[in-house]
């Protein structure tokens, strides 16, 4: 592993709090396309009372990163420029906040550094994170692999198990099975005992099959709505709708059985009378950082009960290219950015 050195400008536990030396970071000073992302230096942030400062080994790219960068969702999430993007992280604790008692310097962790006001994200050498949002990184899971897990795992589990209440023998339709959320949602749904339908392109067919999908629909070759309807005339118990636009929001309602559920990952449910008439529960599900839940999920990955998503590792300096690739929407699994 990487030797554990006190970061530049971060003192040893016995020393005094120092003036912040700079750290390497990706940041943007205004909203826009991927080319607003800059590689440069930012001051090392200080952890708040209930936070730890993590020396980031790796982070990962999520669609939310580029949506926030382009200026979306301002009614939900405020920005303080310059913004360092990124919420997923794996790394080592180098400093603990004044009220932190259960974590120590040197602990290897992964977590979701989510805040409702973004400024100090994880595309950087150091990132502050609330201790309620982290869990220990097991030795058997690499830092690169660990960095891919927090956001998608929490999103998928909260959608399938908590909101969806998916049980053995039920059916679920997971849109975009080869993407970040799909890559972990398919094995989770199989772990819960469900029959899994998913969409993907032909080139990702083998990958989603390896994750455990029962029925794979090539959305380029056939209309996924009619293909799924043939298989499940009354609809499925649960739909995970990760796509935006092209009528996908409405189709998700039509594909759900009476009394079923639809979890929207990226948008509010559509205005449809059918939702109430057919007693469908439809919600825009926002992931919740949850260290305890993450610990349980990491245990499932570690024991092999859920397969780990495929990762493509790139240096942090290639964040702009990674965002462009993510925007094309054909990534298999997760793009991970190696920081140190």
């Amino acid at each position: 592993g990487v030797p554990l050195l006190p970061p530049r400008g971060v003192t040893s536990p016995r020393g005094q709090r120092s003036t912040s030396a700079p750290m390497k970071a990706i940041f943007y000073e205004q909203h826009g396309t991927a080319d607003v992302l800059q590689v440069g230096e930012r001051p090392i942030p200080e952890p708040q009372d209930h936070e730890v400062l993590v020396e980031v080994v790796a982070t990962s790219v999520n669609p939310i990163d580029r949506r926030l960068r382009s200026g979306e969702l301002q009614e939900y999430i405020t920005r303080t420029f310059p913004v360092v993007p990124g919420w997923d992280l794996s790394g080592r604790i180098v400093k603990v906040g004044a009220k932190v008692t259960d974590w120590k310097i040197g602990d290897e962790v992964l977590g979701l550094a989510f805040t409702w006001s973004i400024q100090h994200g994880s595309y950087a050498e150091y990132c502050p994170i609330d201790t309620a949002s982290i869990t220990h990184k097991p030795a058997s899971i690499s830092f690169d692999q660990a960095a891919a897990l927090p956001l998608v795992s929490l999103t998928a589990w909260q959608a399938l198990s908590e909101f969806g209440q998916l049980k053995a023998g039920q059916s679920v339709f997971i849109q975009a099975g080869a993407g970040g959320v799909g890559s972990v949602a398919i094995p989770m749904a199989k772990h819960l005992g469900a029959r899994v339908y998913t969409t993907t392109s032909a080139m990702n067919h083998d990958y989603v099959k390896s994750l455990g999908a029962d029925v794979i629909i090539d959305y380029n070759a056939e209309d996924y709505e009619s293909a799924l309807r043939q298989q499940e005339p009354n609809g499925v118990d649960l739909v995970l709708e990760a796509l935006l636009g092209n009528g996908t929001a409405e189709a998700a309602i039509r594909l759900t059985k009476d009394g079923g559920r639809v979890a929207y990952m990226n948008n509010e449910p559509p205005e449809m009378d059918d939702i109430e008439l057919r007693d469908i529960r439809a919600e825009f599900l926002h992931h919740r950082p949850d260290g305890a839940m993450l610990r349980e999920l990491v245990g499932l990955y570690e024991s092999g009960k859920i397969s780990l998503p495929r990762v493509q590792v790139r240096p942090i300096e290639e964040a702009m290219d990674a965002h462009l690739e993510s925007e094309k929407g054909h990534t298999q699994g997760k793009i991970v950015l190696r920081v140190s």
Side-chain angles (χ1 to χ4, degrees):
V2 189
L4 186 66
L5 297 168
R8 295 189 307 249
V10 176
T11 52
S12 68
R14 288 179 302 281
Q16 295 306 305
R17 193 158 152 173
S18 69
T19 54
S20 275
M23 64 174 179
K24 181 173 69 181
I26 303 293
F27 59 93
Y28 54 94
E29 296 177 294
Q30 69 205 49
H31 293 128
T33 53
D35 57 14
V36 299
L37 294 174
Q38 303 177 49
V39 186
E41 293 195 325
R42 298 292 308 136
I44 296 175
E46 285 290 340
Q48 303 289 313
D49 284 358
H50 296 285
E51 292 179 332
V52 291
L53 186 68
V54 173
E55 182 178 15
V56 181
V57 175
T59 179
S60 84
V61 176
N62 291 296
I64 188 75
D65 300 343
R66 56 171 210 265
R67 293 187 69 197
L68 294 170
R69 183 211 72 221
S70 68
E72 290 181 55
L73 306 168
Q74 289 185 63
E75 66 274 30
Y76 298 107
I77 294 170
T78 57
R79 280 76 161 161
T80 304
F81 291 107
V83 170
V84 174
W87 286 335
D88 279 335
L89 63 78
S90 66
R92 298 178 185 84
I93 295 174
V94 290
K95 202 167 192 180
V96 295
K99 295 186 177 163
V100 174
T101 54
D102 43 354
W103 295 91
K104 62 186 190 305
I105 289 170
D107 284 346
E108 297 187 347
V109 298
L110 65 152
L112 183 64
F114 170 78
T115 53
W116 291 104
S117 177
I118 56 172
Q119 182 179 16
H120 303 301
S122 56
Y123 289 24
E125 285 183 288
Y126 300 98
C127 179
I129 184 168
D130 194 301
T131 55
S133 306
I134 57 175
T135 189
H136 287 281
K137 184 195 83 66
S140 64
I141 297 178
S142 72
F143 281 106
D144 292 334
Q145 193 73 66
L149 299 179
L151 185 137
V152 292
S153 304
L154 291 166
T155 300
W157 190 256
Q158 286 162 16
L160 293 166
S161 180
E162 204 172 67
F163 168 79
Q165 295 176 11
L166 197 60
K167 293 170 184 65
Q170 289 188 326
S171 55
V172 60
F173 172 47
I174 297 168
Q175 193 71 276
V181 172
S183 288
V184 297
I186 292 170
M188 282 179 187
K190 292 309 295 175
H191 173 69
L192 291 167
R195 179 169 174 81
V196 177
Y197 297 90
T198 194
T199 51
T200 193
S201 60
M203 69 175 203
N204 288 329
H205 183 280
D206 290 347
Y207 174 56
V208 295
K209 194 168 180 59
S210 75
L211 296 171
D214 295 292
V215 178
I216 301 161
I217 301 164
D218 178 356
Y219 60 83
N220 291 315
E222 55 185 333
D223 174 62
Y224 75 86
E225 193 178 344
S226 43
L228 187 58
R229 177 70 61 202
Q230 282 169 355
Q231 298 267 350
E232 296 279 351
N234 298 320
V236 293
D237 293 285
L238 175 64
V239 174
L240 258 61
E241 184 49 82
L243 303 181
L244 278 167
N246 300 333
T248 52
E250 292 79 10
I253 300 297
R254 293 192 292 270
L255 290 169
T256 304
K257 64 171 59 165
D258 294 1
R261 292 164 191 243
V262 183
Y264 288 97
M265 305 279 127
N266 284 308
N267 52 285
E268 294 288 345
E271 300 284 325
M272 285 172 79
D273 293 339
D274 249 26
I275 296 175
E276 206 173 322
L277 291 172
R278 296 177 46 220
D279 191 29
I280 290 170
R281 203 172 145 209
E283 276 181 33
F284 176 18
L285 235 59
H286 193 283
H287 57 259
R288 184 183 74 250
D290 186 330
M293 181 181 284
L294 194 55
R295 184 179 67 239
E296 289 178 27
L297 294 171
V298 166
L300 292 173
Y301 286 119
E302 212 189 349
S303 65
K305 291 192 172 84
I306 305 176
S307 56
L308 289 158
R310 198 165 283 178
V311 298
Q312 177 201 129
V313 183
R314 309 177 67 146
I316 187 79
E317 290 79 5
E318 291 178 19
M320 186 176 104
D321 289 343
H323 273 224
L324 291 169
E325 193 178 328
S326 171
E327 273 160 15
K328 289 185 194 144
H330 300 303
T331 43
Q332 199 178 78
K334 295 276 298 176
I335 302 173
V336 166
L337 299 174
R338 172 89 54 76
V339 182
S340 64

